[in-house]
Amino acid sequence: MSSTIVFAQLLNGLQYGVLLFLLAAGLTLVFGIMSFVNLAHGSLYMMGAYFAASAFAYTGSFGLAVLAAMVGSLLLGLALEFVAVSRLYRRDHLDHVLATFGLVLFFNELVRMIWGSQPVFLQVPDFLSGAVDIGGFTYPAYRFAIIAVGLLVAVGSWLLINKTRVGMLIRAGAVNPAMVAALGVNIRLLNAMLFGVGAMLAGLAGAMAGPILSVQSGMGESVLITTLVVIVIGGIGSVTGAFYAALIVGIVDTMGRVFLPFLLRQVAERSFADAAGPALASMLVYLLMAVVLAWRPQGLFPTHR
């Protein structure tokens, strides 16, 4: 197997990892800091993809499509927080799961009513439709753009959490919200802002994934499961942990799906390798999570409070 294939799959894993981070960054803020289990986060990712596809079809501008996805998801997240989520903060986690699972069903049916049951396609913008040459190796420019966007969000998230007054209030509110509220901080507004930012990042992830995936009802469920794995591996509440864990999960999942069937063919019959390889590859990230939890139950990069 050539080094070119290995390098290409490493880049694919990195690109998948930063997409997972865009989802995990918002979810870890809501789940780890606000202690709210939001199963509807994948639906916000889906809605962002639909917002982007609709805006692109109407304007023909990919930049406006991404902006529409971010603004639409932000407003939708704020509306959800005001109407439903804010009433559940003090409830049990089981109530969070049941309520947000209901929202998942609602949004899946909503997109079928508005956009239909057939997949919607979002085109790669013309200026990113080519390939980048790296010493004779070519790689799609759009996938590099996804990596760049993910890295920018990672740097911005780190600066927000660690270098701003808002970040200080977020960290303090996660440790002792009653004390922060007693000091005059509007915790309800802070929680709404966090939920809205998380929704906006999910919408951004949906917009960036749209050109390489089909935009369809239910597209958020499978990626949500992987995002939860990322959060558990990285450490609940840790944005830095979510970033590193997303890269690890992205590379492990991509490399496993490509190379594990090939490796099995070297030690077993081809029919068995072709049948067992994809199944074992799909289990790799969950096995990784199990090993991490057995070794470090708090995750690889937990927050220090």
Side-chain angles (χ1 to χ4, degrees), residues 112-132:
R112 289 192 184 101
M113 292 170 58
I114 297 175
W115 287 280
S117 57
Q118 296 300 316
V120 177
F121 297 97
L122 179 61
Q123 295 180 354
V124 173
D126 292 337
F127 67 96
L128 291 174
S129 61
V132 176

Side-chain angles (χ1 to χ4, degrees), residues 165-166 168-188 190:
R165 185 174 184 274
V166 172
M168 178 189 67
L169 294 177
I170 291 171
R171 287 181 280 119
V175 176
N176 195 333
M179 179 61 71
V180 174
L183 293 173
V185 177
N186 189 335
I187 287 294
R188 194 180 188 289
L190 186 64

